[in-house]
Amino acid sequence: MTQGPLTTEAGAPVGDNQNSETAGVGGPVLVQDQLLLEKLAHFNRERIPERVVHARGAGAYGTFTVTADVTPYTRAAFLSEAGKETEVFLRFSTVAGNLGAADAVRDPRGFAVKFYTEEGNYDLVGNNTPVFFIRDAIKFPDFIHTQKRDPYTGSQEADNVWDFWGLSPEATHQVTWLFGDRGIPASYRHMDGFGSHTFQWNNEAGEVFWVKYHFKTDQGIKNLTAGEAAVLAGTDPDSHQRDLRESIERGRFPSWTVGVQIMPAADAASYRFNPFDLTKVWPHADYPVIEIGRLELNRNPRNVFAEVEQSVFSPSHFVPGIGPSPDKMLQGRLFAYGDAHRYRVGVNADHLPVNRPHATEARTHSRDGSLYDGRHGGAKNYEPNSFGGPAQTGRALWQPFDGFGGGTGDHPTPRHAEDDDFVQAGDLYRLMSEQEKERLIANLAGSISQVSREDIAERAIANFAAADADFGKRLEAAVRALRD
């Protein structure tokens, strides 16, 4: 089926797209060949700045279906009844690698879900691990600098990685996850996802609950060993992206069972550790995971740049009935993600097809700027106005936080009975089989042994020893063997 003639960006038909206009046969090219200049100028600008983190990614569209009644906990419309379906877009990614990096590497995976709900878009921006390396966003730039290229060598340096982790004992739990068997997923389809942070749900009566999200892969967990990953990264750097795309093309739609842990708001103050600490999990014995839905991916993007690279996710995109918590990492991300996208894609990034609401319409008083498409016409751009413009509802999306008295200041997070940086890392280690422990020790020792100074290695090992004496003893011996 013909799509009509090729045109310029302005819509004029193109007569010759094979030859530049020249001053005679074989002569120099003329500036008046505006098609040539337009094509070259556009080509020079085809790339936008890559994400500082999570640059390497893949995505797909799908459907989230509610399977349980959660109206006692949240008034979110897209969760209002069993059987209700909502369109979603999910972007997977690695954290540290740049846009051209390999997929099969030891790195956390981003797991970002955009729900196109009838009350606006809800973005749940998580990872494939339930915890993270730090608990306060003020440390995030420093942490990421250690994972990226050193300003002098231009390479990722073990000294930087382990110096920071050794001096930041709260990272011990996440590092134990990262260097364990689940540190290198075999594909995006074969890994779990987590909201990681604690979020607020509130119901019609205004009651507040704290929740954590879990996405359990229906394909089963599959991982790569360090050796398998090294081969795959070298032979097929696009392995995870290819697997996701081809699985959907073949009709083998990947899916995840979605569940939540729910904590009544009153439990938080007296819980044995800070429930808003991103370096901690909530034990399932305390708060079981309750199944609420199923997420299936069933449609590939038609253009990777337009729909994957230009997709933007922000934890600040909430809908009525869902909101933030006092989690200090989440609080920082509420600003940082939107700001990153305004810089990287443009102030109107949310107007792009992949980002704008699909089940409702965005009605704002923001105008102009890069990518603005004039959609508002001549409508007034202020509120309140008497010309029928959109106005506030008078009802907040989430409930205010209670019980956080005192003056403002650079306060450390309040301590609970078990607010220890090593307890959960030790618990995780002791849950592992002997074979899993051996692989964890080997992975950690292989990385720590690369540092240039003994004190960096000793400090790193000491954190794992604080988590479990056997863990530290075996790791020390393995590092010593490699360094000797």
Side-chain angles (χ1 to χ4, degrees), residues 191-253:
M191 68 181 195
D192 292 343
F194 301 89
S196 301
H197 295 286
T198 299
F199 295 93
Q200 184 196 106
W201 275 7
N202 60 90
N203 62 19
E204 284 291 349
E207 296 174 300
V208 170
F209 303 87
W210 303 118
V211 302
K212 283 185 176 289
Y213 293 91
H214 298 251
F215 295 76
K216 182 69 175 178
T217 175
D218 295 328
Q219 290 70 238
I221 294 288
K222 291 185 181 179
N223 303 295
L224 301 172
T225 66
E228 291 169 337
V231 173
L232 185 58
T235 57
D236 184 8
D238 302 325
S239 58
H240 287 29
Q241 298 189 40
R242 189 186 316 282
D243 174 86
L244 178 66
R245 183 186 71 251
E246 292 180 351
S247 294
I248 294 174
E249 287 174 346
R250 291 194 298 266
R252 295 172 55 191
F253 301 142

Side-chain angles (χ1 to χ4, degrees), residues 78-125:
F78 80 103
L79 298 172
S80 61
E81 60 181 325
K84 188 163 188 175
E85 295 184 350
T86 299
E87 183 188 6
V88 300
F89 182 77
L90 199 162
R91 185 178 186 270
F92 304 96
S93 56
T94 52
V95 174
N98 59 22
L99 193 58
D103 290 334
V105 294
R106 188 176 301 282
D107 200 11
R109 269 41 175 194
F111 196 99
V113 188
K114 187 181 295 293
F115 297 85
Y116 299 103
T117 91
E118 65 266 48
E119 297 178 298
N121 290 348
Y122 172 43
D123 289 353
L124 183 60
V125 191

Side-chain angles (χ1 to χ4, degrees), residues 29 46 60 64-65 81 91 117 150 258 272 295 313 331 364 382 389 411 444 461 466:
V29 174
E46 281 182 0
F64 170 74
T65 305
E81 60 181 325
R91 185 178 186 270
T117 91
D150 181 87
V258 184
R272 65 181 188 271
L295 188 152
F313 299 82
Q331 291 285 320
T364 78
Y382 57 90
H411 300 297
L444 284 168
I461 294 168

Side-chain angles (χ1 to χ4, degrees), residues 61-82:
Y61 295 93
T63 304
F64 170 74
T65 305
V66 179
T67 59
D69 179 17
V70 294
T71 55
Y73 308 107
T74 179
R75 59 188 172 96
F78 80 103
L79 298 172
S80 61
E81 60 181 325

